[in-house]
Amino acid sequence: GEDVEQSLFLSVREGDSSVINCTYTDSSSTYLYWYKQEPGAGLQLLTYIFSNMDMKQDQRLTVLLNKKDKHLSLRIADTQTGDSAIYFCAERVDNYGQNFVFGPGTRLSVLP
Amino acid sequence: NAGVTQTPKFRILKIGQSMTLQCTQDMNHNYMYWYRQDPGMGLKLIYYSVGAGITDKGEVPNGYNVSRSTTEDFPLRLELAAPSQTSVYFCASRLRDTEAFFGQGTRLTVV
């Protein structure tokens, strides 16, 4: 079945860049997403990328997609303490009502 | 425009009790989903609905039931609560080709 993998933890210093990596298995995925979850809150969409794109940039966020390796990354430039959260990678698959398959989430800690 | 609203935010149940987690959205979205989030496990799909009157099982449906009598509402029912159902539950909705919008979650503890 579909599976999305991420490392569980990442720590960076304030002002540095953060790179969160994700691998997925469904080669037919048309959309890939990054969601952010702050403590006690729901998931908030950060950005998404169509599978026919290699890169998408949105202010401090850069998403890179390597379809051949089924690898997705999220780079946050100039990481701030407000970026501390759990980041979920997700792919949209064509079963279960075009459901989203989520990775386990990467907990980003930003150190002062 | 409230988005996706879940109630309650927190609940403690005793083993064997039943309860309904409410979810409503005011965006006229046809797709709605219920997920549970366990630590380090990501989100697992419990049930989903592609429109009013239509529901179907996701990956982990055992112990749960849903209904979708209106476009707006998608309640999740636990009939006989078990400790394994201790989790955070998220409801989500979307239109056909957009991202999913999530509620704030319901933290359920079964003791």
Side-chain angles (χ1 to χ4, degrees):
Chain A
E2 302 84 11
D3 200 10
V4 178
E5 295 184 352
Q6 302 175 239
S7 54
L8 296 183
F9 302 98
L10 176 66
S11 291
V12 299
R13 293 247 173 237
E14 192 174 11
D16 288 349
S17 292
S18 309
V19 179
I20 303 171
N21 294 301
C22 167
T23 58
Y24 62 97
T25 57
D26 191 335
S27 58
S28 66
S29 296
T30 52
Y31 296 84
L32 294 140
Y33 302 84
W34 283 104
Y35 279 87
K36 177 183 181 183
Q37 185 184 33
E38 294 180 352
L43 278 70
Q44 176 191 3
L45 179 70
L46 275 182
T47 186
Y48 65 93
I49 188 168
F50 293 106
S51 59
N52 62 358
M53 296 170 65
D54 296 325
M55 186 181 87
K56 181 178 180 182
Q57 188 149 3
D58 184 3
Q59 299 182 336
R60 292 190 297 122
L61 306 178
T62 303
V63 178
L64 294 177
L65 175 61
N66 181 328
K67 279 196 73 176
K68 175 176 169 288
D69 296 336
K70 299 195 186 87
H71 183 266
L72 184 73
S73 68
L74 173 70
R75 179 176 180 269
I76 305 173
D78 187 25
T79 312
Q80 303 298 307
T81 55
D83 295 323
S84 293
I86 301 176
Y87 291 80
F88 290 92
C89 170
E91 59 175 344
R92 206 177 86 188
V93 296
D94 284 329
N95 62 4
Y96 296 132
Q98 295 190 2
N99 171 39
F100 298 83
V101 177
F102 288 86
T106 298
R107 184 179 295 274
L108 175 64
S109 299
V110 182
L111 308 174
Chain B
N1 193 339
V4 179
T5 303
Q6 289 183 238
T7 56
K9 287 189 170 54
F10 304 94
R11 183 72 186 266
I12 298 174
L13 280 183
K14 292 185 179 177
I15 294 171
Q17 285 185 318
S18 62
M19 77 164 292
T20 300
L21 282 68
Q22 301 291 345
C23 175
T24 188
Q25 51 91 10
D26 60 359
M27 298 173 283
N28 203 32
H29 287 173
N30 44 355
Y31 290 82
M32 294 188 76
Y33 306 88
W34 272 107
Y35 294 90
R36 58 178 287 170
Q37 183 185 26
D38 299 315
M41 298 295 290
L43 280 73
K44 296 294 183 186
L45 181 67
I46 305 171
Y47 269 93
Y48 69 98
S49 169
V50 301
I54 306 169
T55 63
D56 215 335
K57 296 177 181 179
E59 301 173 73
V60 290
N62 291 342
Y64 307 94
N65 274 298
V66 293
S67 60
R68 185 95 182 270
S69 56
T70 65
T71 299
E72 294 78 20
D73 300 307
F74 190 40
L76 177 72
R77 178 109 182 130
L78 284 71
E79 290 294 349
L80 290 169
S84 61
Q85 294 178 305
T86 294
S87 190
V88 181
Y89 291 84
F90 287 101
C91 178
S93 73
R94 70 175 181 89
L95 281 175
R96 183 164 176 78
D97 283 322
T98 66
E99 77 274 15
F101 292 82
F102 283 81
Q104 294 298 296
T106 297
R107 185 176 295 275
L108 176 67
T109 302
V110 182
V111 296

